[in-house]
Amino acid sequence: TAPGPRSYTTLRDEAVKLFNSLQQLESERDPVPLMQGVLQTCLDLPPLVDEIYCQLVKQTTEPPAPGGQGDLHYWQLLTCMSCTFLPSPPVLRFLRFHLDRTEKRFPASEMAKYACFIREALGKTKGRECVPSLEEILVLMQRQEMICTVHCPGAPACSVAISSHTTAEEVAQELVSRLGLSQSPNLFALYEQSRRREQPVGSATLLADVLTRFE
């Protein structure tokens, strides 16, 4: 199930809890739920976003085992953060310096590949309504795209590759092109349907947020 409403204590206490979660992340066999929990706390408590970015930069600087499982877990959470939140300008500059330094120091390594992915994501991220779904986190850990299935009236279901930044309008335009409807005078939009209701998806809505709501 998707994360539900949480009760929080003081920012200081929550920051300590997040720090403990980061320490646990290093040796966690299944890090995905822990990562989603960190992301949810940051979504609910925006002042902690910069704190987590700084902690992740610290954890991925001079790690005991560069490229080891624990180190990559931190890079993977940093990847998820970059697709969900933008840090403040000073922290963003600090983060970009760290990414450049990592790529120069460990060229062609997994860390360098994550650094490149994160830099590109930061150029597209505008903020999210929801944290990444468990499926999206798994995909981001592999630096890949998700496959979204869209059911089209009078046509077979279409599979569309989407990233954390793909909007409903971009998917609608791709489907219109695929189905040969570019010359049609009609307007096209995506709808999300649940057991209780059907509603249009706003053109600027991120499809990844819709998938999280379904989860």
Side-chain angles (χ1 to χ4, degrees), residues 29-160:
R29 285 189 176 183
D30 178 14
V32 176
L34 191 61
M35 289 182 184
Q36 193 183 52
V38 171
L39 295 167
Q40 186 65 49
T41 301
C42 288
L43 183 70
D44 295 338
L45 302 173
L48 293 177
V49 169
D50 277 357
E51 173 70 21
I52 292 303
Y53 267 117
C54 290
Q55 287 290 342
L56 288 171
V57 169
K58 180 180 178 181
Q59 295 293 346
T60 51
T61 300
E62 305 291 347
Q69 184 185 59
D71 184 34
L72 292 185
H73 282 177
Y74 291 127
W75 278 105
Q76 289 158 355
L77 178 53
L78 195 52
T79 298
C80 294
M81 288 285 293
S82 72
C83 291
T84 313
F85 312 105
L86 272 182
S88 65
V91 174
L92 182 58
R93 287 194 295 272
F94 176 52
L95 175 59
R96 284 181 169 148
F97 170 78
H98 175 59
L99 300 176
D100 290 341
R101 179 177 57 190
T102 299
E103 286 190 274
K104 290 174 182 174
R105 187 171 180 186
F106 302 103
S109 67
E110 281 294 296
M111 299 95 77
K113 291 174 184 175
Y114 280 115
C116 179
F117 186 96
I118 291 165
R119 183 186 296 102
E120 292 180 6
L122 289 169
K124 301 173 185 176
T125 296
K126 294 181 174 64
R128 297 279 296 266
E129 292 180 13
C130 306
V131 299
S133 64
L134 298 175
E135 178 192 357
E136 184 182 351
I137 292 172
L138 282 169
V139 167
L140 287 173
M141 289 170 69
Q142 304 299 320
R143 304 185 300 274
Q144 295 176 351
E145 293 184 318
M146 290 181 289
I147 301 298
C148 175
T149 301
V150 182
H151 298 275
C152 309
C158 296
S159 295
V160 183

